[in-house]
Amino acid sequence: MRVRNIYSWYYNTFMPDRVYLDWNATTPLRPEAREAMAVAWDLLGNPSSVHAEGRQARRLVEDSRARVAGAIGALPRNVVFTSGGTEANALALTSGLRRGSGPAVERLVVSAIEHASVLAGGRFPPEAIDTVGVTRSGLLDLDRLREVLAGGPPTLVSLMLANNETGAVQPVAEAGAMVHAAGGLLHVDAIQAFGKIPFNINEMNSDLVTLSAHKVGGPKGVGAVVLAEGVLGFEPLLRGGGQELGRRAGTENVAGITGFGAAVKIAMDSRDRDAIRLESLRNRLENGLRDTPDVIVFADGAPRLPNTTLFTVPGLKAETAVIGFDLAGIAVSSGSACSSGKVQPSHVLEAMGFGPELAQGAVRLSLGWSTSEADVDCCLEAWRKLEGTLLKG
């Protein structure tokens, strides 16, 4: 993707001819989302007001709620808009949740490869949190999960649908069936998977799903928790108003939510054909990387998102590699973009059993809807020029 073709005047002027390969960190705002938000910005009404101006704002919010719900097979009334994915995860991880007349959860179990906002445990006390490991391929250890669930108190299990670093797609439906058989609930962080692969809240045996707008071409600062029908005991983090059916206080971000809904529509319409094209581009990229001796592509034996490659070579330092690519005009990352710009050893790779040398040398390349063959070839050309310097000594 040539950034100048879709970004603003700033990029046209100061960052021409760059290639953006960090789509898992954030995506560009889709033109349709930008246009929808421009309409919302001009609205006068508060969506909680009953007059015509308020009803107009409310209609935009509810149209977006229906689009988000429909995209994953949920009911609109069970979508709770938040300020983003981190808040959505914190809101979902609540002790006391139950489904129907079932028992309330008292314990949280997370996989070792979760996003930092899940590893933080939400509103569970530290002593009520357990962690389950993953295999060398980056997939949840289902046998270990079964052991952890056996004989324990009612449990909320949190498992991401697709890992943000490796792209590995987790066995969520199998885990959910296991959790339900043990009397627990399943939260699925689908933030990285949304818009890339199909999924349904009920078919994957999930009780709560969290989403984020800026991963599908919507604006930053908007997310959602989506509940399965019958989930009870959902306590708000923010109190003081009756918004979101009493589940999150505060006037809704009408423009952001409207942009989220518009982005979801376009993402769902193009998802399947994008996935085919992006998988072909990812394979082209990985085939080129494998020309380098000893290159490792992580989780390549597992089902993965069609757009994600995490790779390293023994001796590579991620921070140096990211800077090298950047100077060559290519935006890549060392993994999650949630560490204030710090390049740290990947907790995901450490959980997969890779030592610190490899865990601190991984580079993530992630593609998106406007990535081209030329972009991939440009990245490979830059890598061929960089690898000798980066791996020297």
Side-chain angles (χ1 to χ4, degrees), residues 207-295:
D207 300 283
L208 306 97
V209 173
T210 44
L211 309 170
S212 182
H214 76 104
K215 304 295 189 179
V216 294
K220 301 174 183 68
V222 184
V225 180
V226 186
L227 309 177
E229 186 70 359
V231 173
L232 305 173
F234 189 79
E235 291 294 327
L237 274 171
L238 301 179
R239 302 175 185 272
Q243 293 88 354
E244 299 299 288
L245 296 179
R247 296 173 296 195
R248 185 189 187 269
T251 301
E252 291 92 346
N253 176 1
V254 177
I257 291 169
T258 300
F260 191 4
V264 167
K265 181 180 186 305
I266 300 301
M268 293 300 108
D269 289 346
S270 61
R271 182 194 61 207
D272 293 343
R273 62 177 177 271
D274 280 349
I276 294 171
R277 190 181 69 86
L278 290 174
E279 185 172 13
S280 176
L281 288 176
R282 185 199 68 191
N283 293 342
R284 181 188 184 99
L285 178 61
E286 292 180 358
N287 287 338
L289 291 172
R290 288 191 172 96
D291 288 340
T292 299
D294 301 320
V295 72

Side-chain angles (χ1 to χ4, degrees), residues 307-341:
N307 78 316
T308 304
T309 295
L310 184 71
F311 82 98
T312 195
V313 180
L316 184 66
K317 301 299 182 185
E319 184 170 14
T320 306
V322 170
I323 292 171
F325 275 113
D326 189 45
L327 292 174
I330 302 168
V332 304
S333 75
S334 61
S336 176
C338 300
S339 300
S340 302

Side-chain angles (χ1 to χ4, degrees), residues 24 89 111 113-115 118 134 137-140 158-173 187-199 204 209-211 215 282 299 302-308 347-348 364:
N24 283 11
N89 283 337
S111 89
I113 60 169
E114 297 302 308
H115 187 271
V118 169
V134 297
S137 295
L139 300 178
L140 179 72
S158 183
L159 175 62
M160 54 176 36
L161 179 52
N163 185 258
N164 51 309
E165 295 188 21
T166 66
V169 177
Q170 301 300 311
V172 168
H187 161 244
V188 175
D189 174 350
I191 290 169
Q192 200 58 248
F194 194 38
K196 299 185 180 84
I197 58 174
F199 62 89
M204 62 183 181
V209 173
T210 44
L211 309 170
K215 304 295 189 179
R282 185 199 68 191
R304 283 185 293 156
L305 294 176
N307 78 316
T308 304
H347 75 282
V348 173
R364 185 183 68 187

Side-chain angles (χ1 to χ4, degrees), residues 30-234:
R30 292 180 185 267
E32 297 84 356
R34 187 189 304 275
E35 292 169 7
M37 292 173 72
V39 172
W41 279 322
D42 288 335
L43 292 183
L44 175 61
N46 185 310
S48 295
S49 298
V50 298
H51 47 58
E53 290 84 355
R55 294 196 304 273
Q56 188 178 23
R58 173 56 56 188
R59 184 171 67 251
L60 293 182
V61 171
E62 296 309 318
D63 286 349
S64 293
R65 198 186 309 276
R67 283 178 175 173
V68 171
I72 67 169
L75 296 177
R77 65 171 178 258
N78 291 330
V79 175
V80 182
F81 288 116
T82 68
S83 66
T86 292
E87 184 196 340
N89 283 337
L91 187 55
L93 303 183
T94 305
S95 61
L97 288 171
R98 60 187 176 85
R99 194 162 187 173
S101 59
V105 298
E106 303 172 15
R107 177 178 62 155
L108 175 65
V109 171
V110 302
S111 89
I113 60 169
E114 297 302 308
H115 187 271
S117 61
V118 169
L119 294 176
R123 286 174 281 181
F124 284 84
E127 63 272 15
I129 303 173
D130 290 316
T131 302
V132 174
V134 297
T135 67
R136 186 81 168 177
S137 295
L139 300 178
L140 179 72
D141 186 336
L142 289 170
D143 291 335
R144 180 56 184 153
L145 176 63
R146 184 180 293 106
E147 293 173 1
V148 170
L149 291 173
T155 300
L156 174 66
V157 172
S158 183
L159 175 62
M160 54 176 36
L161 179 52
N163 185 258
N164 51 309
E165 295 188 21
T166 66
V169 177
Q170 301 300 311
V172 168
E174 296 92 328
M178 195 179 297
V179 172
H180 288 167
L185 301 181
L186 177 68
H187 161 244
V188 175
D189 174 350
I191 290 169
Q192 200 58 248
F194 194 38
K196 299 185 180 84
I197 58 174
F199 62 89
N200 179 286
I201 188 171
N202 297 307
E203 291 175 1
M204 62 183 181
N205 297 315
S206 177
D207 300 283
L208 306 97
V209 173
T210 44
L211 309 170
S212 182
H214 76 104
K215 304 295 189 179
V216 294
K220 301 174 183 68
V222 184
V225 180
V226 186
L227 309 177
E229 186 70 359
V231 173
L232 305 173
F234 189 79

